Amino acid sequence: MDTLIFNEKYYTKMIETAVNVSVIGILVMCQGLLPLNASNEQLAQVTAPDFDTGQLKARILNEISPEIRQKNFDEKISQKYPKALVKDVTSGVKHIKLTKYYAGKPVRINVVEVDLKLAKNLELTPVLSSDTTLKSRRTITNIAKKSNAIVALNGTYFKPQTGVPLGTLMINGKIYTGPIYDRVAMGIFESGSKTSFDIARVQLDSSIKGSGQTIKVDNINQPRMLSTYVLAYTPEWGQFSPYAPKYGMNLLVEDNLITKASANPIEIPKNGYVISGPKSILHPLLEKKDVELTVNTSPEWKNVKHIISGGPYLVKNGEVYVDMTAQKLGSIGGRNPRSAIGYTAENNLIFVAVDGREGSSIGMTLMELGGFMKSIGCVNAMNLDGGGSTVMYVNGSVVNNPHQKGGIPLSNAIVLSEM
């Protein structure tokens, strides 16, 4: 043990020495870029006040030394949540329990904050309750155990009767469901070992091409809102497509070839999908029968791996921003249990679950939740499904206090899992 401690100190000292040499080298390089007849004042400006060598050294050490980064993370969490109960979940992951007061009454809050550069062996991903169908619901504990998760939070809205997610959901590059009312969503990007995020309102940019026609596809695996919409149903929707709309038709597509047309429900093949919409729009595709479906999003999130929607915004570009009316979410106003996700300027990931509807915790309004997310450093954050759905799981157990013990069965969750 003594030898190990000595080696760690020796290693840290070696890193600091290397960083000092690097900082000196940077200063020499910067001064070398100045003209030969530079004044003393110009030379001084290289280091002060715009060039803080101490700050540069600290940033370099934080990036290359896991020990120093962990120490800085520990200190930052202690300072950010001074009166909270903080527990280590694993390297780079903290679970924070705290109580705040709104209108003179208590609100219990569970937060998980993640430094993804320390938590290198963990992956953030949305997870469905079933591997085979959208029409499924399970408790968060079952979802978490199925995905080997150490942290899980309930995800996007879903249809209570069936479990079908309501809003954009992409997992490992595959879109399972499209957006509703262009609601806000989080994109999760992976480049090598780096994970990054973006939050924006998302639209579907999808079409089906065939017989010289290009037809807009309005949504994928979502309930029909208008009879004029063209919808696509994939095998994850279930065994059969819905009936076609009035004056409409369903087209069965297998291996990019239309093999059947009917107004009735059609069995969805594993090697294809069903397109459903007005007959006047879809009938021209029958001329040659070969078709191609393309699915993209707007904004065009290149290299996005996962997308999970929510709504409304809570924080946008560092400011509280709650666009509840624009996203047609007026029904979720008031003081309720809440779930949220966001990220900081340092790219730390933050999960939040707020208990409500009880004397010991009255819940939050969306504006209060937005203010809280900003106060803990989120530069962008969004609301997830809340109310009875709000439930957080950490290291094998539910850590908040949902109205139904263990939480209601959910359609989906956002999880942090061991790779």
Side-chain angles (χ1 to χ4, degrees), residues 85-102:
L85 175 64
V86 179
K87 292 184 178 180
D88 288 313
V89 179
T90 188
S91 177
V93 184
K94 302 278 190 180
H95 173 214
I96 303 106
K97 294 181 76 77
L98 67 152
T99 300
K100 293 183 73 69
Y101 288 82
Y102 294 87

Side-chain angles (χ1 to χ4, degrees), residues 110-129:
N110 280 269
V111 180
V112 170
E113 185 158 341
V114 186
D115 183 326
L116 290 162
K117 288 189 176 179
L118 290 171
K120 292 181 179 180
N121 64 327
L122 300 179
E123 179 183 21
L124 179 70
T125 178
V127 174
L128 287 161
S129 66

Side-chain angles (χ1 to χ4, degrees), residues 5 12 27 33 60 62 122 176 185 191 309 312 332 375:
I5 294 171
T12 302
L27 290 173
L33 294 174
I60 293 173
N62 192 59
L122 300 179
Y176 285 82
S191 177
S309 72
I332 67 166
S375 75

Side-chain angles (χ1 to χ4, degrees), residues 304-359:
V304 67
K305 188 173 183 181
H306 312 294
I307 302 175
I308 186 167
S309 72
Y313 266 111
L314 296 171
V315 179
K316 184 178 181 181
N317 298 327
E319 298 299 330
V320 175
Y321 181 84
V322 179
D323 55 342
M324 181 172 61
T325 302
Q327 297 190 40
K328 293 182 170 50
L329 288 165
S331 62
I332 67 166
R335 193 175 290 282
N336 287 296
R338 302 285 182 190
S339 302
I341 191 167
Y343 57 94
T344 70
E346 298 83 16
N347 208 44
N348 281 8
L349 176 68
I350 292 180
F351 300 85
V352 170
V354 176
D355 285 333
R357 298 177 184 169
E358 54 185 280

